[in-house]
Structures are given as structure tokens and as C-alpha cells.
Amino acid sequence: MKRGIDMKNVKILKGDLVYALSKDNVMFIKDGYLVIKEHIIEGAYKDLPSEYVNEEIEDYTGRIIMPGMIDLHVHASQYSFRGMGMDLELLDWLNTYTFKEESKYNSLDYANKAYEIYVEDLVKSTTTRACIFGTIHKEATLRLMEMLDKTGLKTMVGKVNMDRESPDYYIEHSADDSVKETIEFIKETSRFENTKPIITPRFVPSCTDELMEKLSRVREEHNLSVQSHLSENKKEIEWVKELNRKAHSYGEAYDMFGLFGGDYKAIMAHCVYSDDEELRRMKKNNVYVAHCPDSNVNLASGIAPIRKFLKYGVNVGLGSDVAAGYSISMFKAMVDALQVSKLYWRLVDNSVSPLSINEVFYLATLGGGSFFGNVGTFKKGYEADVIVMDDTSIKCPYDLTLEERLERLIYLSNDDNMVAKYVAGCKVYDALGNVDENRSEEKEIILV
Ligand code: GUN
Ligand code: FE
């Protein structure tokens, strides 16, 4: 007797389970079972509960099954120049390389070509969810969302807003223009299932007070989240002080317009120089920090003291911040977060101890995942975002514990070690080329 469970909608994955319940508590279950029901985690078990013993099992014995990685901050429109032009600091980098590249997305032909490359690589990566910047162009950003929607990955994507302090060839001509395009953009995204819009003022210097005020109203009317940049670079912070004299901190320059979380979610990338006042404001407003260590090194921005943020109780996840970061791999982001935390401790403040393996694993999964709701762990009731990692090719002459295998995997693997990826219970990538039959027919899935 199957006690009324509809087994058609049950998936059972067998393998070595690793998932974070909090930053201090990572679970390791060798030869365990992950039961997924209706796209939701039913449970992670050492022994398969008796009601499931006659069901078919997807057997990943010897491989590591973990929650999908969350990229809380990435610029899809900059993927084209990843690995190039990192010889400048933020403001010069924007003016020399970034705005020029982003202006090309005025052409849909270019957007098609460039975004296809990003989306294909994202499918093959270990990322299951991402918060993504497009460009100021509505059509190109919708094209990106169309591509993303078909993959089954869950994403939030922003048409970028910029109406001041930007070059003539890459600026919106008024706050009203910017807002009008944004409202049209939001309306057109209603056709998408997996990708949703997010309000995206680029950063304070590129948005007038009028634009900020109006964007805040649009945000409220459509009940959307916000993503932007905060306290990344010292010159940038000085510039914000000059431009917004009424704000006592960079964070306040968003908050005074209602664009800094509170009763809705907001992500702020970087926060390298956030002081105690800004941290208190982030904590109070439930703002998420997207920690982007690769980018902060490449643009010589500095090191964000993540241990301090965690102590304050501020939400933190990881971001690749391509193309200031050169890779979309969140495995690389975990290593970078570990390494820069050691340098901060050694060189900046010896009271801020380095992050641990378990902590960076938490940041890359549950830390960022909670931005999307119940995402990022294998607790009952969470959405089943899962990656299966094969570490058998990373040879070792002695037996390793599962804890050691996680550590090695973080340092030594890359996204090519991924065997399969599931988002909300649907298989969206399989190294062998199989995907879920129950995904809708017209959805062409991008595979290797
Ligand atoms: N601040 C404003 N725009 C950007 C951007 O594109 N990348 C980074 N790293 N910081 C920014
Ligand atoms: Fe960024």
C-alpha cells in the first residue's frame, strides 16, 4: 500500500548528500537518498523510507549531490569581455570598456549573438539561479530573458536604468524615458515563466533623484525586488557624497527613495566599504549583500569584511560580477571568498577571522538562495535545486571523508565536474544529454 502518494511526481536521487542548514551547520550523508515530490524536497535520508522502496532511483552512487549554486550578481551584457580589461579601477573601467560594450546591445543582432554565448555557458555551469543585469535597452534585455526562460533556470533580470553622469552614447535621455521603458519592459515579461523582472538602477551616480523616486513607485506598483551596487570603490563613494549631499551614507542615498529593501527584497553588490551605519541600515531593511570577491580583486576595489556582516546578521550571498569578475563559476567564487577573507584577517583587521569551507558553501547555496524564497538546501519544503558533482577524476591515494571531498571539490573542481543539474525538480542539464520528459515540448533546451 503506497499510502496515497502519487509516485508519478516523485524523484529519488541516490548519492553522497551535502547541504547547509545554516552557516554553522553543514549536513553530510554518505550513500543517502534525496526524495523530491512535486518539485519540492520531501527529505534527505540515510535510509530510504519504506514507502519509496519500490520506486525507481536515479543512481548517482559515488558522486556528490548538493544544492545548486546561486549567483546573486552578474552582468550578462559583460560576458563578452570577461577575462579582458581588468587593468583599471571601477570608474575608469566603466568609462573605458564597460559602457562601450554595453552600448552595442542597441543592436538586437549583437544581443542575440552575445547573449546566446552567456546563456549556453550558464546552463553548463553549476548555477541554478541568478540575479542578472542586462543593459539600458528594453528589447535586448527581453531577448536575454526569452533565452533564459527556455533553459528552466530561475532568474531575475533587470533592464538597467541610467539617466545621468554617463556617456552620450550610453544614457537614457530623461527620467521619464527611462521609467516608460521600464514599465513596458515589466509588462512584456509577464509571458515568462522562469525569469522575472527586477528593478535595476545601475548605481547612485547614474540615476537622478527624479529617476530614483519614479523607479521606487514602479517597484511598488509591480511588487518587485531591487538590485544595484553599493560602496564598492573609494572614489565612487566620494562621488556619491558630492552628488547626493542630503544622504549621510551611500546606503541612505537608496533608502531615502525607497530603493533599499524593507518590506521587499533588495540586493546590493560589493559593500566593500560599508560602515556600521550602513550595516545597521542593511540589517534593518533585510538587504542582501552580493559578495563579489573576484571582481573586488580585479578592479582593486578592496576586501569586503564578510565575517563582520555575518556577525551583524546581514544576509550575504555570492556574486560572480562578470565581467569585473572573470568567471561565472560559483566554485571559483567560493575559493575567492575564502582567500580574500584570509588576507583581510592578516592584512587589515586581525579581529575579523577568515571564513571556513562550510561558511562559503553556505553563502553560495542557502545564503543567496533565500533571496529566491525556500531555496538553497535539502530541508523539507525547499524547492529542489540540485547539482550532481563527480569528483572521481580528482585522484587521491587514500580514502577521503565526505567533508574532505567537499573541501577538495570547492578548490579543485570546476563546472565541468557537474554530471546533472535540476532546477525546481526539473532536470535542465545532463552531461549525457538527457533532460526531463515532463518539460514542455516547445521548450528547446540548450545543451552541450
Ligand atoms: N558599478 C556600476 N556599474 C558597475 C558594473 O557594471 N560593475 C561593477 N563591478 N560595478 C559597477
Ligand atoms: Fe556589478
Side-chain angles (χ1 to χ4, degrees):
M1 178 65 194
K2 287 185 181 166
R3 284 190 242 148
I5 296 172
D6 178 2
M7 291 296 178
K8 269 205 319 283
N9 295 317
V10 172
K11 260 194 191 85
I12 301 167
L13 312 187
K14 180 173 193 281
D16 300 328
L17 310 183
V18 179
Y19 56 99
L21 288 174
S22 70
K23 72 181 174 56
D24 305 310
N25 189 9
V26 174
M27 302 297 291
F28 297 91
I29 307 179
K30 177 101 181 80
D31 293 317
Y33 298 87
L34 185 66
V35 177
I36 300 167
K37 206 153 66 182
E38 305 275 11
H39 313 302
I40 301 293
I41 303 288
E42 176 62 20
Y45 306 100
K46 176 65 190 153
D47 299 305
L48 189 62
S50 57
E51 62 261 47
Y52 303 113
V53 291
N54 295 324
E55 297 311 315
E56 204 178 306
I57 287 172
E58 292 181 50
D59 191 354
Y60 294 115
T61 300
R63 276 117 173 214
I64 297 182
I65 299 176
M66 57 171 62
M69 299 284 127
I70 313 296
D71 189 348
L72 272 194
H73 182 77
V74 57
H75 299 256
S77 51
Q78 297 173 12
Y79 194 60
S80 47
F81 73 106
R82 68 198 180 283
M84 292 188 279
M86 294 181 293
D87 54 330
L88 298 173
E89 290 187 48
L90 176 66
L91 301 178
D92 291 333
W93 175 81
L94 287 170
N95 283 317
T96 308
Y97 306 113
T98 312
F99 294 151
K100 282 198 183 94
E101 177 57 24
E102 289 189 18
S103 70
K104 294 186 197 165
Y105 290 74
N106 190 27
S107 151
L108 259 190
D109 279 349
Y110 185 76
N112 270 327
K113 233 183 341 188
Y115 282 146
E116 197 171 283
I117 297 170
Y118 169 69
V119 174
E120 273 194 33
D121 284 358
L122 190 66
V123 171
K124 290 185 266 177
S125 80
T126 54
T127 298
T128 50
R129 304 197 184 220
C131 294
I132 302 174
F133 280 54
T135 58
I136 63 172
H137 314 102
K138 179 187 73 184
E139 294 303 336
T141 309
L142 286 168
R143 189 69 199 100
L144 166 65
M145 291 177 82
E146 233 166 79
M147 293 181 194
L148 286 166
D149 200 47
K150 290 178 184 163
T151 65
L153 303 175
K154 301 278 183 190
T155 53
M156 293 190 202
V157 179
K159 183 210 97 60
V160 175
N161 299 97
M162 297 165 69
D163 74 334
R164 74 170 177 190
E165 301 294 340
S166 308
D168 290 347
Y169 63 83
Y170 192 54
I171 190 165
E172 296 172 292
H173 290 296
S174 68
D176 281 336
D177 266 8
S178 179
V179 167
K180 182 173 150 282
E181 289 285 289
T182 304
I183 293 170
E184 283 173 19
F185 164 75
I186 294 165
K187 288 191 173 148
E188 290 203 38
T189 60
S190 64
R191 66 181 189 268
F192 301 129
E193 182 188 333
N194 298 310
T195 182
K196 302 289 171 204
I198 180 166
I199 298 291
T200 307
R202 180 174 209 116
F203 67 159
V204 167
S206 55
C207 300
T208 58
D209 291 4
E210 183 190 351
L211 177 56
M212 296 285 256
E213 262 171 41
K214 288 181 172 169
L215 276 182
S216 173
R217 261 180 264 147
V218 174
R219 189 219 68 71
E220 206 177 332
E221 270 161 34
H222 297 270
N223 191 25
L224 299 177
S225 303
V226 168
Q227 60 178 357
S228 194
H229 297 90
L230 179 68
S231 299
E232 174 178 3
N233 166 291
K234 285 186 176 168
K235 277 195 195 146
E236 170 212 23
I237 294 166
E238 284 309 306
W239 196 21
V240 169
K241 270 192 201 144
E242 279 168 34
L243 290 167
N244 290 45
R245 295 198 178 272
K246 282 189 215 131
H248 297 100
S249 71
Y250 196 158
E252 194 180 352
Y254 291 106
D255 206 9
M256 62 199 279
F257 298 110
L259 288 169
F260 204 63
D263 55 0
Y264 68 91
K265 284 181 176 157
I267 305 174
M268 291 288 148
H270 303 287
C271 306
V272 173
Y273 297 104
S274 294
D275 59 13
D276 288 350
E277 191 275 330
E278 199 159 88
L279 282 177
R280 270 194 298 274
R281 197 181 286 275
M282 283 192 268
K283 160 93 177 133
K284 181 166 150 270
N285 288 11
N286 216 11
V287 168
Y288 279 69
V289 173
H291 177 40
C292 305
D294 185 15
S295 163
N296 295 341
V297 169
N298 295 327
L299 300 190
S301 299
I303 305 172
I306 297 305
R307 159 81 56 227
K308 226 168 111 179
F309 298 175
L310 294 174
K311 275 200 183 137
Y312 255 91
V314 172
N315 304 306
V316 186
L318 298 183
S320 66
D321 195 26
V322 160
Y326 64 80
S327 162
I328 56 168
S329 168
M330 299 314 291
F331 274 73
K332 172 173 163 44
M334 285 191 275
V335 175
D336 294 336
L338 280 165
Q339 293 187 326
V340 300
S341 74
K342 292 183 188 184
L343 291 180
Y344 192 89
W345 171 62
R346 176 65 66 221
L347 301 175
V348 184
D349 183 347
N350 66 11
S351 73
V352 182
S353 55
L355 297 175
S356 66
I357 290 286
N358 285 0
E359 284 169 331
V360 296
F361 178 65
Y362 158 82
L363 294 179
T365 54
L366 187 55
S370 63
F371 188 80
F372 288 85
N374 281 344
V375 172
T377 187
F378 291 161
K379 235 167 51 183
K380 184 180 168 78
Y382 274 64
E383 291 190 64
D385 283 19
V386 181
I387 54 173
V388 182
M389 301 296 289
D390 184 357
D391 61 342
T392 55
S393 61
I394 312 170
K395 302 268 189 245
C396 183
Y398 56 87
D399 289 341
L400 295 163
T401 63
L402 193 45
E403 285 88 336
E404 288 169 329
R405 284 170 62 202
L406 173 67
E407 182 172 2
R408 253 173 34 126
L409 197 68
I410 288 174
Y411 280 109
L412 300 180
S413 75
N414 57 44
D415 288 10
D416 293 344
N417 289 72
M418 187 176 70
V419 175
K421 172 158 85 174
Y422 302 75
V423 181
C426 288
K427 194 187 275 182
V428 301
Y429 176 82
D430 187 319
L432 302 173
N434 307 314
V435 290
D436 266 8
E437 291 140 21
N438 61 3
R439 285 176 51 81
S440 71
E441 282 287 301
E442 83 273 13
K443 290 191 189 229
E444 150 207 342
I445 289 144
I446 300 168
L447 281 173
V448 215

Coordinates of all heavy atoms in Angstrom, one line a residue, residues 2 20 77 185 188 211 227 229 268 307 316 331:
K2 N 0.6 2.2 -1.0 CA 1.5 3.3 -1.1 C 1.0 4.6 -0.4 O 1.4 5.7 -0.6 CB 1.8 3.6 -2.6 CG 2.7 2.6 -3.1 CD 3.1 2.9 -4.6 CE 4.0 1.7 -5.1 NZ 4.1 1.8 -6.5
A20 N 23.8 22.7 3.4 CA 24.0 23.6 4.6 C 22.6 23.9 5.1 O 21.6 24.2 4.4 CB 24.6 24.9 4.2
S77 N 25.5 41.2 -20.0 CA 25.9 42.0 -21.1 C 27.4 42.3 -21.1 O 28.0 42.8 -22.0 CB 25.2 43.4 -21.0 OG 25.4 43.9 -19.7
F185 N 8.9 47.3 -20.3 CA 9.7 46.1 -20.1 C 9.0 45.1 -19.1 O 8.8 43.9 -19.3 CB 11.1 46.5 -19.6 CG 11.9 45.4 -18.9 CD1 12.5 44.4 -19.7 CD2 12.1 45.3 -17.6 CE1 13.3 43.4 -19.2 CE2 12.8 44.3 -17.0 CZ 13.5 43.4 -17.8
E188 N 6.0 43.4 -20.5 CA 6.3 42.3 -21.5 C 6.8 41.1 -20.9 O 6.8 40.0 -21.5 CB 7.2 42.9 -22.6 CG 6.5 43.9 -23.5 CD 7.2 44.1 -24.8 OE1 7.6 43.0 -25.4 OE2 7.2 45.2 -25.3
L211 N 14.6 60.1 -11.2 CA 14.5 58.7 -11.7 C 14.4 57.8 -10.5 O 13.5 56.8 -10.5 CB 15.7 58.4 -12.5 CG 15.8 56.9 -13.0 CD1 14.6 56.5 -13.8 CD2 17.1 56.7 -13.9
Q227 N 17.9 45.5 -7.5 CA 19.3 45.1 -7.4 C 20.2 46.4 -7.8 O 19.8 47.1 -8.7 CB 19.7 43.9 -8.3 CG 19.3 44.2 -9.8 CD 19.7 43.0 -10.7 OE1 20.3 42.0 -10.2 NE2 19.4 43.1 -12.0
H229 N 24.4 48.5 -7.0 CA 25.7 48.4 -6.5 C 25.9 49.4 -5.3 O 25.2 50.4 -5.2 CB 26.7 48.9 -7.5 CG 26.8 48.0 -8.7 ND1 26.0 48.2 -9.8 CD2 27.5 46.9 -9.0 CE1 26.3 47.3 -10.8 NE2 27.2 46.5 -10.3
M268 N 22.4 44.4 -2.8 CA 23.4 45.4 -3.1 C 24.7 44.7 -3.3 O 25.2 43.9 -2.4 CB 23.5 46.4 -1.9 CG 22.3 47.3 -1.8 SD 22.2 48.5 -3.1 CE 20.4 48.7 -3.3
R307 N 32.8 38.3 7.4 CA 32.6 37.8 8.8 C 31.9 38.8 9.6 O 31.0 38.5 10.4 CB 34.0 37.5 9.4 CG 34.1 37.4 10.9 CD 33.6 36.1 11.5 NE 34.4 35.0 10.9 CZ 33.8 33.9 10.5 NH1 32.5 33.7 10.6 NH2 34.5 32.9 10.0
V316 N 23.9 37.5 3.3 CA 25.0 37.5 2.4 C 24.9 36.3 1.4 O 24.7 35.2 1.9 CB 26.4 37.5 3.1 CG1 27.5 37.7 2.0 CG2 26.5 38.5 4.2
F331 N 32.0 28.0 -8.0 CA 33.0 27.3 -7.3 C 34.2 28.2 -7.1 O 34.9 28.2 -6.1 CB 33.3 25.9 -8.0 CG 32.4 24.8 -7.5 CD1 31.1 24.8 -7.9 CD2 32.8 23.9 -6.6 CE1 30.2 23.8 -7.5 CE2 32.0 22.9 -6.2 CZ 30.7 22.8 -6.6

